[in-house]
Amino acid sequence: MQPSRTIYMGENLVIVESPAKAKTIEKFLGSGFIVKSSFGHIRDLSKKNLGIDIENGFEPDYLISEDKTKVVSELKNLAKKSKTVWLASDEDREGEAIAWHLQEALELDKSKTKRIVFHEITKEAITNAINNPRDVNFNLVMAQQARRVLDRLVGFELSPILWKKVRPKLSAGRVQSVALRLIVEREREIQNFEAKSNYKIEGTFHPEQSEQSSILKAEITHRFSTSKEALNVLELCRTGNFIVTSTEKKEHSKSPAAPFTTSTLQQEASRKLGFSLSQTMRVAQNLYEAGLITYMRTDSVNLSKVALNSSKKVIDNLFGPEYSKTRQYSTKSKGAQEAHEAIRPTYIENRDIEAGAQEKKLYSLIWKRTVASQMSDAILEKTQINIQTKEIEYPFVATADIITFDGFLKLYIESKDDENSEENLPMLLPNLVSGTSMDVIEILATEKFTQKPPRYTEASLVKKLEELGIGRPSTYAPTISTLGQRGYIIKESREGNERSYHQYRLYDGDIKDTIKKEIWGTEKNKLFPEDIGILVTDFLVEHFRSIIDYNFTAKIEEDFDKVATGKLVWNKLISDFYTPFHSIVEDTLATSKPTNAERLLGVDPKTGKSVYSRLGRFGPLVQIGEADDPDKKYMSLGKGQLIETITIDQALKLFELPRVVGEYNNQEIICAIGRFGPYIKYEGSFISLGKDNNPYDIDIDKCIEIINNHKIKEAQKHIKSFPEQDIQVLNGRFGPYIKRGKDNFKIPKNVDPASLEIEDILKIIDSAGSTKKSTVSKKGTAAKKSTPTKKSTTTKKSTPTKKSKTAKSK
DNA sequence: CAGTGAGCGAGCTTCCGCTTGACTT
């Protein structure tokens, strides 16, 4: 259903946000329409300064973003030649703003400009949109402007306070600072957590005079707080007469999860595929650009009619109609704007695709989740059997979940974050009637420890942020990576510790006590706060609690909505926020003291001096002696150590390094920890110790062994040398390569490195060099345009040397 | 690449959301 009048080439310009979207839409619209993309926002507040005229009603100073000048001039040209310009950015606050900025920046005549929206990219939806144009919704635009201005005010007033009071180049903002606070507060909960132990009692039974095959495992759901209580129960089990006191069967159903949004895709890709946030988004982008999935930055769980229909067909074909159940999901998350569909395969008929390995995996996950969301409930039968002896207050309970109809489980099971939950293996329970006498085979009382709260993963933090309504699909991944870049947090794995626990076993009439060992607290790819992150959070919470409040965004969003519906003027909102906010800013700048989180750990027994931990210019350190002590000593904190948790013993231990282990061939062997971990310094070269060796207690023999191994490896490294040209052929981590001066060159795969002569090598370098040169020249031209910063750094470079000379002469 | 922990002081850093490339080991 196209507009009835004839349309000529170039008469209509449609502008969308994404270039991939532009391509598909162009196909649907056919001749008479040119579809272009704005590549997102085209204008933003000036970056040089605040970009807001506070005195003048918070008037924003918008500039065309540097990387968008080309797109904007191109669009402007096309708009001039077009009779009608259709602004087809997304139907949410940001999309409406993009439409308005386009209208302004392209200087579009209102009479020839039309605003259209569609939620799904189908021919029907698009032609329907074309037939129902409207004007730009100015109230919605002003709501976006309020959001933008508020974020700028918060970010650009808070960050400079941190530069002054904590450390330069730090940042704070409405979203990132709350995300950071979540991580810091969780870490404190974990540090303050005291694991308590209790006893879990499990038994294995079988019906009297039956075969061993009808074994039944059951446990007492109550936990016993002391070993004495547990032993008492075991004692009673030894003599007790167990009978089945009840059997129960209950049917229940389980429904599939909604189709993917950005946040749930990130969570599942992390749990099921081990992808990081950025990896998930990069791979999804590839799938999107190849036309294989719908848009990957969305908060909507909605599926188009086309998708529902083809899902049904696919399910009917693959599993039969009894497995199909068409469902439409609704969004639960706060502040969702739902400008797009859920993330789904473009063509659900395609179960498999031709693509890279990661793309295939992620596509398959999306396909399964989408299709499963349109499948019937699974029906499960829960059986519970209670076994009890009258001497013991609590029954032993055996449960089993049996799937009577698998439904969507045939395709997809959503995974959980809780890695500690024990795997529920489907266990068949024997058919038993009440009153059946049971024999005890074995009873175990095992000491269990309460679990500390889990540290966040990237994905579980995104989940939390989404629950709080903080951040948007396009910012989840970048926000968390910013926290890392600022040095606030680190994503890493840490090894657990060993601990022992008691297990009492009743078997064959005897009760035995064994002490077993387990590893606990192992962390894999978790988010840990760094000292600077803790310090910044404490500072912000102390002075700006209302902004760092978990509900701040949710509250201010209500106001943005009022602006969007015309009930509130945007700069009234801003003014009401800014007046009290700015006075706290001024007050904090004037009164708060620079902070370094200094903490007195205790006294060094050797010297009697005080030991402190604090933040130094280059990071966290421990210090022996007062600030005015000329002989005071420093050491950097080790990996995983924090200013607020390091103990005096751990601190003193740091001063044991660097340590002279001994001599070998009249040369000192020194052990220390550097930026890349523990190392040996010997004959002027540095040898990594690896993580299996401890620099504090490694002995001389082991050191010599490592040194000799290192020498052998070094010798193997050299394949050939051409000293005259300063060229070497070396064995590296990734195979043989050519080294000239500081530059490395790849050797083509089919070439034997040992056979290379100097002529061959120069050829290889030449061919590699030509590509290198071209990139260098590109950089040069790019630099010409944006030089002010570069120039100033180069001109400055000459001065420091002069200064250092004068300093020396002093 | 394996170490820093004074001062002097100019000039710089920074936010959130919307989009893709252009980069290197």
Side-chain angles (χ1 to χ4, degrees), chain A residues 655-678:
Chain A
F655 288 95
E656 288 174 16
L657 294 182
R659 161 175 160 256
V660 180
V661 184
E663 279 192 4
Y664 180 48
N665 296 338
N666 292 324
Q667 291 282 328
E668 265 188 349
I669 301 177
I670 295 170
C671 265
I673 298 176
R675 206 149 67 90
F676 308 104

Side-chain angles (χ1 to χ4, degrees), chain A residues 189-449:
Chain A
E189 277 176 55
I190 292 168
Q191 300 293 354
N192 296 330
F193 181 81
E194 279 177 45
K196 290 190 182 111
S197 80
N198 54 35
Y199 285 81
K200 175 184 177 179
I201 297 187
E202 303 158 287
T204 314
F205 302 87
H206 75 98
E208 233 175 49
Q209 303 151 345
S210 79
E211 290 164 31
Q212 285 284 340
S213 62
S214 49
I215 264 180
L216 189 70
K217 287 195 172 184
E219 69 172 75
I220 297 180
T221 49
H222 178 263
R223 292 286 176 97
F224 300 87
S225 48
T226 63
S227 59
K228 201 178 155 196
E229 282 177 50
L231 274 168
N232 191 29
V233 172
L234 251 55
E235 214 34 77
L236 295 171
C237 285
R238 193 210 308 255
T239 52
N241 293 312
F242 285 92
I243 58 164
V244 174
T245 52
S246 75
T247 67
E248 201 180 53
K249 279 188 183 177
K250 254 192 204 162
E251 211 169 61
H252 64 277
S253 63
K254 213 174 178 178
S255 303
F260 279 134
T261 60
T262 303
S263 141
T264 52
L265 177 69
Q266 288 172 341
Q267 290 161 44
E268 282 288 88
S270 158
R271 292 183 287 225
K272 287 202 151 104
L273 310 176
F275 284 9
S276 69
L277 294 192
S278 58
Q279 191 181 5
T280 300
M281 294 315 283
R282 196 176 54 241
V283 174
Q285 176 89 29
N286 290 343
L287 290 169
Y288 170 67
E289 282 172 11
L292 295 166
I293 60 169
T294 54
Y295 196 57
M296 64 283 155
R297 289 187 276 265
T298 176
D299 52 20
S300 169
V301 286
N302 192 58
L303 293 176
S304 71
K305 273 184 211 140
V306 183
L308 295 179
N309 289 338
S310 51
S311 295
K312 181 161 174 46
K313 268 186 217 156
V314 167
I315 297 162
D316 286 357
N317 267 334
L318 279 174
F319 310 114
E322 70 275 24
Y323 278 93
S324 160
K325 183 180 177 187
T326 301
R327 309 166 192 255
Q328 198 54 271
Y329 294 83
S330 57
T331 305
K332 277 175 277 170
S333 63
K334 257 187 225 171
Q337 309 218 355
E338 308 210 47
H340 304 93
E341 266 192 84
I343 305 170
R344 62 158 174 97
T346 322
Y347 304 104
I348 297 173
E349 312 71 272
N350 299 341
R351 183 170 188 163
D352 296 303
I353 53 160
E354 282 305 313
Q358 295 188 343
E359 281 76 11
K360 276 187 173 178
K361 278 191 206 164
L362 193 70
Y363 180 85
S364 170
L365 191 69
I366 295 168
W367 185 86
K368 283 183 186 165
R369 175 89 165 209
T370 309
V371 175
S373 81
Q374 298 306 315
M375 289 175 72
S376 12
D377 286 357
I379 313 286
L380 301 138
E381 189 186 68
K382 187 175 192 158
T383 311
Q384 181 174 325
I385 299 178
N386 285 10
I387 301 163
Q388 199 167 3
T389 178
K390 53 180 184 298
E391 297 84 359
I392 301 172
E393 187 186 346
Y394 309 96
F396 282 81
V397 180
T399 56
D401 249 346
I402 307 224
I403 299 169
T404 50
F405 176 67
D406 53 0
F408 77 95
L409 290 179
K410 214 177 186 75
L411 211 52
Y412 190 90
I413 301 171
E414 193 183 28
S415 38
K416 294 209 172 85
D417 269 327
D418 187 5
E419 63 213 66
N420 299 317
S421 70
E422 283 165 35
E423 196 82 3
N424 263 337
L425 289 173
M427 183 177 57
L428 281 172
L429 295 181
N431 258 327
L432 293 171
V433 290
S434 286
T436 309
S437 289
M438 302 295 285
D439 282 346
V440 171
I441 299 174
E442 175 191 62
I443 309 278
L444 289 175
T446 311
E447 188 178 17
K448 296 277 175 186
F449 297 89

Side-chain angles (χ1 to χ4, degrees), chain A residues 513-626:
Chain A
D513 174 9
T514 33
I515 290 177
K516 299 197 158 190
K517 290 197 166 153
E518 66 177 353
I519 302 286
W520 70 285
T522 309
E523 297 281 20
K524 212 184 158 208
N525 286 333
K526 293 292 175 60
L527 303 179
F528 294 84
E530 303 255 53
D531 285 298
I532 191 78
I534 295 174
L535 215 151
V536 163
T537 297
D538 286 348
F539 184 86
L540 292 174
V541 169
E542 187 186 339
H543 299 283
F544 297 95
R545 180 171 279 274
S546 63
I547 309 276
I548 307 304
D549 190 281
Y550 293 124
N551 293 316
F552 175 74
T553 291
K555 271 190 262 169
I556 206 84
E557 280 286 342
E558 286 175 17
D559 288 342
F560 294 151
D561 284 346
K562 282 184 197 156
V563 175
T565 50
K567 289 175 197 148
L568 182 60
V569 179
W570 79 274
N571 55 3
K572 167 87 165 67
L573 184 168
I574 296 297
S575 157
D576 287 350
F577 162 78
Y578 185 75
T579 311
F581 169 71
H582 186 67
S583 90
I584 303 174
V585 168
E586 297 273 281
D587 193 54
T588 307
L589 277 171
T591 58
S592 79
K593 287 206 172 111
T595 168
N596 63 6
E598 184 173 281
R599 197 166 75 91
L600 178 64
L601 303 181
V603 174
D604 172 25
K606 274 189 210 156
T607 58
K609 292 178 182 177
S610 297
V611 182
Y612 297 94
S613 62
R614 66 174 174 90
L615 192 71
R617 210 151 66 89
F618 303 105
L621 57 85
V622 283
Q623 170 186 326
I624 299 182
E626 304 295 333

